[in-house]
Amino acid sequence: MPEFPYARLRRFPDVEAPNLQAWDATDELLVEAARASAVEHGIDRSAIAVIGDGYGALALPLVSAGLDGVRVHQDLVSGRRALARNAAELGARGFDSRELDAELLRDARLVLLQLPKGLAELEEIADAVARWAAADVMLLAGGRVKHMTLAQNEVLARFFGHVQPQRAARKSRLIVATDPRPARADPPFPVSSMHPEFGLTLCAHGGAFAGDRIDIGTRVLLDVMRERAPELAALAGREGATAVDLGCGTGALAASLALAVPSARVVATDRSAAAVQSARATMAANGVADRVTVTLDDAGSEIPDGSVDLVLLNPPFHLGASVHEGAGRRLIDAAARMLRAGGEVWTVFNSHLDHRRALAAAVGVTEQLARTPKFTVTRSVRR
């Protein structure tokens, strides 16, 4: 069988750059191990699930090897779109995209996992596999050695009776987990915490950034929103106005705005399925679910041009394990696209980043509203 053409995979519509590629050695090791295990243990192709496939580098080689029927979960909608594009480019068919739930894992005997960055996300995934997969399931988890920790083994050991790290190869390592332990009555996620200083309850699934905490950048922007509540109300509260929490995470900004401006029409959107599930739970916990629409989307691509009066933005500065401003710049450009003339984007960002100049170029006149030793808050008015 010919080698799979990994080099033809693209990240698009995600950020593309010379130092960012759509696969790594971990993907190759996982695929090799999966093909060998499927043969050795007689695992039917419909009993294989893939979790954390960035852009198709796990599912598509399996499909190309004749293991069609693979079930796939990707947290990021940008990854889902990239997988679909890559599959079309390669003429690959035979995978089934699903959420992280029982339908993904029911009767699965082999699960491939690109290890996530966070332990909470790994805990939710491990619980799901142990809870819903077959009793003889084998979990093959892999990562780059430089990003792996003993704590990951410890998390897996809470859900599997046997956890065996493999010898490192090509700067990657696989972990084999078998013998799932009985699942507790209720899943461990979402978790929730009250934040009385802001009058908020935050809920979070394992893959949501900062969990049920309020990260320090969001805190700075929430403080500014509280101090300038009349200006926010004038923008978001007038008849027909729309406000967007772009890259909403667990929904702290959207929920806070909805509580402060009851007449506001608010949209909270994120490309992460874990974030969207978290934000929906946050809106329900704060009694604003009927006034905030939460959507899974990539950089607000489904929001019409020139239709928004206010954007709240706390852009990321990481792409996976890489520090890269591209993700933040995509959201800045998205905010500029969706704002109507005279609309505003309120942004918080790490002060060392050059986002103020990017905002001025993409949106319009940009002024500083607040600055701390680490973060800057700006207001930009659409020209």
Side-chain angles (χ1 to χ4, degrees):
M1 181 174 294
E3 288 189 11
F4 181 78
Y6 287 98
R8 292 180 61 186
L9 298 178
R10 292 186 57 190
R11 296 167 55 94
F12 186 83
D14 210 340
V15 175
E16 296 186 303
N19 65 324
L20 300 172
Q21 64 181 30
W23 86 100
D24 61 22
T26 306
D27 294 310
E28 298 181 69
L29 288 177
L30 282 167
V31 169
E32 291 166 10
R35 291 174 61 180
S37 296
V39 172
E40 180 181 354
H41 299 286
I43 297 174
D44 183 80
R45 58 195 182 185
S46 64
I48 300 175
V50 172
I51 301 175
D53 190 353
Y55 307 96
L58 294 176
L60 296 182
L62 294 178
V63 170
S64 297
L67 294 170
D68 55 333
V70 171
R71 289 167 276 175
V72 186
H73 171 67
Q74 298 165 283
D75 180 59
L76 301 184
V77 69
S78 52
R80 299 178 187 190
R81 293 175 181 177
L83 170 58
R85 286 175 178 270
N86 286 327
E89 171 67 22
L90 296 172
R93 296 178 178 85
F95 59 89
D96 187 11
S97 293
R98 297 195 177 265
E99 299 302 331
L100 183 63
D101 56 19
E103 292 304 310
L104 171 75
L105 293 161
R106 183 172 290 119
D107 299 323
R109 297 182 59 211
L110 179 62
V111 178
L112 277 65
L113 169 65
Q114 265 274 10
L115 284 165
K117 282 174 50 179
L119 295 179
E121 184 173 4
L122 179 59
E123 179 182 357
E124 185 165 23
I125 292 169
D127 172 81
V129 176
R131 181 179 300 274
W132 291 315
D136 63 346
V137 65
M138 175 187 296
L139 173 64
L140 296 177
R144 301 295 278 171
V145 171
K146 63 182 178 180
H147 300 308
M148 298 178 74
T149 66
L150 290 176
Q152 293 171 325
N153 297 359
E154 294 166 2
V155 169
L156 291 173
R158 286 162 39 198
F159 297 92
F160 295 89
H162 187 74
V163 176
Q164 182 61 55
Q166 305 297 293
R167 187 185 299 274
R170 287 173 268 172
K171 299 183 180 180
S172 294
R173 188 190 304 276
L174 301 187
I175 303 171
V176 180
T178 55
D179 189 21
R181 300 183 188 278
R184 73 187 202 187
D186 298 314
F189 293 90
V191 295
S192 64
S193 289
M194 294 183 64
H195 299 273
E197 69 274 34
F198 294 109
L200 286 175
T201 297
L202 283 191
C203 303
H205 283 267
F209 173 71
D212 57 349
R213 306 182 307 278
I214 300 178
D215 70 272
I216 53 178
T218 297
R219 284 181 176 275
V220 175
L221 182 50
L222 285 173
D223 284 336
V224 171
M225 290 170 60
R226 184 163 50 188
E227 293 165 5
R228 294 175 175 262
E231 297 167 65
L232 278 180
L235 271 171
R238 63 176 180 263
E239 186 177 356
T242 298
V244 173
D245 181 357
L246 184 59
C248 65
T250 55
L253 299 176
S256 181
L257 180 63
L259 289 169
V261 188
S263 60
R265 175 180 177 271
V266 184
V267 176
T269 183
D270 203 289
R271 67 177 186 154
S272 161
V276 165
Q277 290 178 332
S278 303
R280 286 175 178 155
T282 291
M283 301 313 149
N286 289 279
V288 295
D290 60 333
R291 294 190 281 120
V292 181
T293 301
V294 184
T295 65
L296 178 65
D297 191 12
D298 182 26
S301 66
E302 296 177 1
I303 297 174
D305 295 0
S307 65
V308 172
D309 300 87
L310 172 66
V311 174
L312 301 175
L313 179 58
N314 180 6
F317 61 95
H318 282 86
L319 283 170
S322 301
V323 176
H324 199 286
E325 292 188 19
R329 296 297 173 87
R330 285 187 77 227
L331 293 186
I332 289 171
D333 290 342
R337 176 191 60 76
M338 66 181 66
L339 279 172
R340 66 177 86 249
E344 300 182 8
V345 54
W346 292 29
T347 310
V348 61
F349 53 88
N350 293 75
S351 296
H352 70 275
L353 298 177
D354 195 26
H355 283 345
R356 180 169 180 175
R357 182 160 54 181
L359 285 159
V363 182
V365 175
T366 298
E367 64 172 319
Q368 178 177 299
L369 299 182
R371 187 179 179 93
T372 72
K374 290 187 176 181
F375 292 94
T376 298
V377 177
T378 59
R379 172 170 58 189
S380 308
V381 180
R382 188 74 167 101
R383 61 175 68 87

